[in-house]
Amino acid sequence: FLALVTAVALLLGSAFGWLRVVALHLLAVTLLVMLINIPIAFFYEAFPEELTFRGYLFRNLNTRYPRWLALILQVFLFVLAPIAVTGFMVAAGLGTWDLITVQYIVNLIAFGTVLQLLRIVSNNLWINIGFHLAWLEMVRYVVVPSEYAIVEIEYVSIWGNYMVTIGSVIIGIIVLFIWSLRGRHRVDWSRIEPD
């Protein structure tokens, strides 16, 4: 799924002239770094965030509120978490507000939404963990403007960066939302799960 939405984002970004694919590499050093990063990203980011936000929080929110509202509230809490952590760090004199930008907030909203839609459509938290982990590797090592990337790209405009990082996720949101409205996998957005 991630490969599909990333490919669409790259094609659209290229078609609009916002980015260009420079080269494809299969470098041993990149693969080694990815192998080292995967367990770190799994235990530090993907697993705890998915268990907390798309697992525990969403499940509890959905026992009180309809799915559509539980989704919105979960995304709100997902965005609020790094803002609160940054606030504590600033208060302790260990950080600054520089990390919290409009692009970062938009990225969190889109990412939290696509992950929650994956959870709702698949009803499987492991898909979320896998997607989260794959997305982290993709934006760090696979599709980046670096000679060490697997897909080396060049951003011709800032919109190229947005297309890869946020656009691919928004394409995923559209696909998953349409999927949720179709056939036997149709999602009942007004459903409240029993306790």
Side-chain angles (χ1 to χ4, degrees), residues 46-98:
F47 184 73
E49 286 179 19
E50 294 313 308
L51 204 60
T52 303
F53 291 100
R54 267 62 67 182
Y56 182 78
L57 280 176
F58 177 74
R59 173 74 172 111
N60 283 293
L61 288 168
N62 195 208
T63 60
R64 273 196 90 138
Y65 306 107
R67 271 193 187 123
W68 68 270
L69 183 55
L71 181 147
I72 292 169
L73 291 171
Q74 177 279 133
V75 170
F76 175 75
L77 292 171
F78 182 63
V79 171
L80 190 60
I83 293 172
V85 168
T86 302
F88 287 128
M89 290 176 63
V90 168
L94 301 172
T96 66
W97 288 105
D98 296 353

Side-chain angles (χ1 to χ4, degrees), residues 142-159:
V142 179
V143 181
V144 288
S146 166
E147 63 188 60
Y148 295 103
I150 292 173
V151 179
E152 182 182 353
I153 58 174
E154 176 188 350
Y155 294 129
V156 178
S157 119
I158 189 67
W159 293 104

Side-chain angles (χ1 to χ4, degrees), residues 1 22 48 68 80 107 163 177:
F1 181 68
V22 176
W68 68 270
L80 190 60
N107 200 12
M163 180 56 77
F177 186 71

Side-chain angles (χ1 to χ4, degrees), residues 94-147:
L94 301 172
T96 66
W97 288 105
D98 296 353
L99 299 175
I100 307 297
T101 64
V102 173
Q103 180 182 350
Y104 181 68
I105 299 295
V106 170
N107 200 12
L108 285 176
I109 291 168
F111 195 53
T113 303
V114 78
L115 286 166
Q116 191 58 64
L117 283 170
L118 272 170
R119 172 76 165 101
I120 290 168
V121 168
S122 72
N123 202 25
N124 185 329
L125 198 56
W126 285 105
I127 289 176
N128 288 68
I129 294 166
F131 182 88
H132 192 144
L133 189 58
W135 189 83
L136 291 171
E137 298 305 305
M138 188 265 303
V139 297
R140 290 176 179 164
Y141 308 110
V142 179
V143 181
V144 288
S146 166
E147 63 188 60

